[in-house]
């Protein structure tokens, strides 16, 4: 026995992750809910990009879509109402090596979470923020949300919503240091997947507004756009969302839009006669907060203590 050395090193075997490796519990969303399509798209991207499950985090607030982390077999944080973004920013600031997906709804993000939304865009930390915009509070059974259209009958406004809706994309485009804004629809899985993939590949905060069907409470909202494809306008550009030409040709209504043009992005996003889908804006050069503040993240406890003592010594007599 004497003289023998124990080799404690472990061989790290190559791993290949399948879709099942990212699939959590069975999703309990209503049949036909658009959330199912978004979940499938994110799981496919995780598989295609071979994201390490232990280095992937899904963060959410409160709402139907915020059940997202439960259905991913990654790390997850189902937070408080409107607070998905501060949690996600906290994760990213101390663990910039993690991939962060944020699931939030129009009520969660654009009402109680508005202050966090604005500052998260400005901080521009590298994460994908998916806003599931179904124009209603679904989980609490049909109250008017900030994106509800005028006249939509809800529990809080039985005679119809009174105020013009807030547009999440134009608001985001107006925030300083915005770096990526896109729109897509849940009922075209290829465009949805391509948009979320481009968002994942962007370095910075990628804000993706997803027009999401809620057959339970706002079944009619996106009906016309599904029946008549010309009511969806596909944005094209060599720097935009790359889309399979076979899929692109199903959109009779297409427009060229340069995603580096913020002024034009605002005009396109403001259109309410059609649903513009594609990349509205991208600026890859916006500063990212976690890059500027991650100094010292990898320090040992001893190094941190030594640094602290060195600072305190400056005040010693
Ligand atoms: Fe989806 Fe609407 Fe059902 Fe919520 S209430 S799970 S948003 S269909």
């Amino acid at each position: 026995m004497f003289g023998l050395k124990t080799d404690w090193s472990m061989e790290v075997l190559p791993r290949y992750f399948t879709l099942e490796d990212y699939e959590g519990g069975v999703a309990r969303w209503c049949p036909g809910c658009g959330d199912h399509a978004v979940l499938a798209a994110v799981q496919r991207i995780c598989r295609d990009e071979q994201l390490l499950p232990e280095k992937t985090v899904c963060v959410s607030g409160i709402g139907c879509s915020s059940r997202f982390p439960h259905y991913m077999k990654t790390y997850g944080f189902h937070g408080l109402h409107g607070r998905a973004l501060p949690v996600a920013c906290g994760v990213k600031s101390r663990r910039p090596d993690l991939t962060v997906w944020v699931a939030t709804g129009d009520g969660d993000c654009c009402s109680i979470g508005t202050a966090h939304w604005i500052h998260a865009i400005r901080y521009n930390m590298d994460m994908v923020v998916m806003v599931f915009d179904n124009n209603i509070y679904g989980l609490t059974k049909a109250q008017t949300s900030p994106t509800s259209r005028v006249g939509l009958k809800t529990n809080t406004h039985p005679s119809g919503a009174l105020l013009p809706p807030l547009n999440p994309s134009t608001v985001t485009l107006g925030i300083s240091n915005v770096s990526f804004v896109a729109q897509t629809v849940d009922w075209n899985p290829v465009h949805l997947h391509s948009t979320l993939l481009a968002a994942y590949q962007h370095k910075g905060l990628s804000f993706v507004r997803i027009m999401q069907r809620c057959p339970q409470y706002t079944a009619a909202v996106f009906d016309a756009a599904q029946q008549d494809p010309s009511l969806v306008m596909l944005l094209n550009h060599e720097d935009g969302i790359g889309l399979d030409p076979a899929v692109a040709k199903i959109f009779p209504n297409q427009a060229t839009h340069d995603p580096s043009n913020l002024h034009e992005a605002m005009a396109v996003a403001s259109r309410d006669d059609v649903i513009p889908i594609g990349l509205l804006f991208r600026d890859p050069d916006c500063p990212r907060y976690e890059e500027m503040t991650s100094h010292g993240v990898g320090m040992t406890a001893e190094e941190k203590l030594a640094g602290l003592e060195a600072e305190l010594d400056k005040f010693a007599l």
Side-chain angles (χ1 to χ4, degrees), residues 194-244:
S194 302
T195 305
L196 291 176
L197 180 61
Y200 161 73
Q201 290 167 338
H202 172 71
K203 283 280 165 227
L205 191 149
S206 303
F207 182 90
V208 182
R209 180 188 183 194
I210 303 167
M211 309 301 170
Q212 180 241 313
R213 291 166 299 170
C214 171
Q216 187 71 21
Y217 298 119
T218 51
V221 165
F222 299 120
D223 255 7
Q226 287 175 83
Q227 303 303 327
D228 178 1
S230 70
L231 294 177
V232 175
M233 185 172 75
L234 181 69
L235 304 177
N236 288 320
H237 195 271
E238 58 185 2
D239 296 328
I241 306 291
L243 191 62
D244 184 335

Side-chain angles (χ1 to χ4, degrees), residues 43-312:
Q43 288 170 339
R44 276 203 195 96
I45 291 169
C46 289
R47 190 269 318 269
D48 295 347
E49 300 295 313
Q50 286 294 290
L51 299 186
L52 296 175
E54 69 271 24
K55 290 212 162 196
T56 304
V57 189
C58 297
V59 181
S60 67
I62 293 293
C64 290
S65 57
S66 288
R67 293 195 54 77
F68 200 91
H70 296 272
Y71 308 139
M72 293 288 293
K73 212 189 287 176
T74 61
Y75 280 101
F77 196 115
H78 189 173
L80 297 174
H81 202 198
R83 315 298 180 221
L85 285 166
V87 171
C89 290
V91 170
K92 197 68 193 180
S93 70
R94 292 301 85 190
R95 289 295 304 271
D97 56 315
L98 302 182
T99 299
V100 177
W101 300 88
V102 178
T104 179
D106 44 294
D108 192 55
C109 176
C110 308
S111 185
I112 191 170
T114 306
H116 301 305
W117 166 30
I118 289 171
H119 291 287
I121 298 296
R122 189 169 69 93
Y123 277 56
N124 190 37
M125 296 193 191
D126 187 20
M127 62 182 73
V128 179
V129 178
M130 303 174 287
V131 177
F132 295 63
D133 188 358
N134 58 8
N135 295 195
I136 197 85
Y137 284 90
L139 187 73
T140 44
K141 312 216 178 300
Q143 291 83 34
T144 304
S145 96
T147 64
S148 296
R149 300 169 192 197
V150 173
L152 182 75
K153 291 187 170 55
T154 68
N155 286 339
T156 43
H157 294 90
S159 306
L162 300 171
L163 297 172
L166 178 153
N167 182 325
S169 296
T170 55
V171 172
T172 305
L173 288 164
I175 299 170
S176 59
N177 211 35
V178 58
S179 75
F180 183 108
V181 183
Q183 294 195 152
T184 185
V185 294
D186 76 48
W187 58 90
N188 189 305
V190 180
H191 192 271
L192 174 66
H193 178 274
S194 302
T195 305
L196 291 176
L197 180 61
Y200 161 73
Q201 290 167 338
H202 172 71
K203 283 280 165 227
L205 191 149
S206 303
F207 182 90
V208 182
R209 180 188 183 194
I210 303 167
M211 309 301 170
Q212 180 241 313
R213 291 166 299 170
C214 171
Q216 187 71 21
Y217 298 119
T218 51
V221 165
F222 299 120
D223 255 7
Q226 287 175 83
Q227 303 303 327
D228 178 1
S230 70
L231 294 177
V232 175
M233 185 172 75
L234 181 69
L235 304 177
N236 288 320
H237 195 271
E238 58 185 2
D239 296 328
I241 306 291
L243 191 62
D244 184 335
V247 176
K249 73 180 182 193
I250 69 170
F251 293 97
N253 189 357
Q254 304 195 15
T256 301
H257 168 65
D258 178 354
S260 68
N261 188 332
L262 181 59
H263 182 73
E264 191 58 31
M266 197 63 100
V268 172
S270 302
R271 295 273 301 260
D272 56 10
D273 55 328
V274 289
I275 300 176
I277 62 168
L279 186 56
L280 291 163
F281 180 70
R282 173 165 49 200
D283 180 353
D285 299 322
C286 291
R288 288 185 278 131
Y289 192 73
E290 83 273 19
E291 267 204 323
M292 296 182 270
T293 58
S294 58
H295 176 71
V297 161
M299 286 169 76
T300 63
E302 290 75 22
E303 287 168 336
K304 286 179 187 168
L305 196 58
L308 188 60
E309 284 179 354
E311 286 303 309
L312 291 175

